[in-house]
Amino acid sequence: MLAFSGCYYGGGEKERKELAEIRKRWDTLPQDLSAEDERTRGKCPLTPHEIGLMLRAVGFGNETYLYVASGEIYGGEETLRPLRELFPNFYTKEMLAGDDLKPFLPFSSRLAAIDFIVCDESDVFVTNNNGNMAKVLAGRRRYMGHKRTIRPNTRKLNVLFQTWNQTGWDTFSRKVKKIQRGLMGEPDDPRHGRDDFHEMPSSCICQRVPVNRSATMQTRNLLSQVR
């Protein structure tokens, strides 16, 4: 995800070169993206540490159970350590399933399905990218009874994270809550964007009556004549 988006996690020149090599696998992707520019535009996922800081700032305590749904995370344990320190009750499918996961390992889609199921059943789902899986999960959770989905405001949070440790925690927490207003999965959250059907489907979509009944009936009559 980092390589595909042109972003990086701050690991210096070594990381930039490694991600650049991975990007070459896709001929259609531009090879000269600036990670800093993409992050400023809000196109980069937050680091695990930043996700942890955001969650603590909006009120999730260190007793919260956290399940990380992902594939291989760049930097591995070293990248995840700050998040685990913030949330000691930290789990992944590998930690929970153990040897039972072995039959699924050759199949990335089946591993993703496991993550999908766990995320769908969770009390709160936190997205860290704007991919199709995140959108479908958010929409399903809203449609099937409205379970909270938190969407980080990556563009504004990026600015705040640049100086987060230069202010007191109370000030930082207050700013995060302000930035995240309307993105915390409340029932009255505003709709965002034009192409958000999968993320925010109408709860009564199946009960809607066709706008033009006569046109609908006319089409049915034509089809019956063709048959």
Side-chain angles (χ1 to χ4, degrees):
M1 184 172 63
L2 284 177
F4 192 88
S5 62
C7 304
Y8 88 120
Y9 271 175
E13 193 60 28
K14 176 178 179 293
E15 179 178 329
R16 290 179 185 275
K17 288 181 178 179
E18 289 179 351
L19 294 178
E21 286 300 314
I22 297 175
R23 284 182 62 77
K24 292 179 181 179
R25 299 174 187 174
W26 293 280
D27 295 334
T28 57
L29 293 181
Q31 301 299 318
D32 57 351
L33 285 178
S34 165
E36 288 76 11
D37 289 346
E38 293 300 292
R39 186 172 172 85
T40 300
R41 293 171 57 214
K43 299 299 183 181
C44 292
L46 299 179
T47 68
H49 187 205
E50 290 169 342
I51 284 288
L53 290 172
M54 181 199 71
L55 291 176
R56 292 296 294 272
V58 298
F60 290 90
N62 64 355
E63 76 284 354
T64 302
Y65 284 79
L66 188 69
Y67 177 89
V68 175
S70 74
E72 182 182 358
I73 293 179
Y74 185 84
E77 180 59 31
E78 187 66 26
T79 301
L80 288 172
R81 184 176 294 113
L83 179 61
R84 298 183 73 155
E85 291 174 351
L86 289 168
F87 294 95
N89 295 313
F90 174 102
Y91 299 95
T92 64
K93 56 182 173 293
E94 289 80 8
M95 296 169 63
L96 294 173
D99 291 341
D100 291 338
L101 199 63
K102 287 183 178 179
F104 298 89
L105 294 179
F107 308 99
S108 59
S109 59
R110 297 181 189 181
L111 292 173
I114 294 173
D115 283 335
F116 186 99
I117 293 169
V118 177
C119 291
D120 186 39
E121 293 293 333
S122 65
D123 296 322
V124 179
F125 171 55
V126 185
T127 70
N128 194 26
N129 66 74
N130 200 33
N132 291 332
M133 179 172 170
K135 290 180 179 179
V136 171
L137 265 168
R140 174 176 166 80
R141 288 170 60 84
R142 178 178 291 270
Y143 189 82
M144 300 299 291
H146 190 83
K147 291 184 286 186
R148 289 179 64 190
T149 295
I150 297 175
R151 295 175 293 157
N153 188 330
T154 52
R155 183 174 62 83
K156 292 184 178 180
L157 286 174
N158 169 60
V159 176
L160 181 60
F161 282 131
Q162 292 179 20
T163 59
W164 78 270
N165 55 358
Q166 298 176 19
T167 62
W169 178 257
D170 290 342
T171 300
F172 172 74
S173 177
R174 184 171 63 252
K175 289 182 178 180
V176 171
K177 290 175 182 176
K178 182 178 180 180
I179 288 173
Q180 285 297 119
R181 193 173 299 156
L183 298 170
M184 295 298 292
E186 304 299 336
D188 57 350
D189 278 355
R191 296 175 67 90
H192 293 270
R194 295 174 298 174
D195 303 320
D196 58 1
F197 170 78
H198 293 91
E199 187 172 355
M200 302 188 76
S202 170
S203 60
C204 59
I205 187 171
C206 295
Q207 300 173 13
R208 289 184 177 176
V209 177
V211 176
N212 190 333
R213 294 185 177 183
S214 60
T216 302
M217 289 301 297
Q218 184 178 15
T219 302
R220 287 176 178 171
N221 289 338
L222 288 172
L223 287 174
S224 63
Q225 292 175 15
V226 172
R227 293 193 187 101

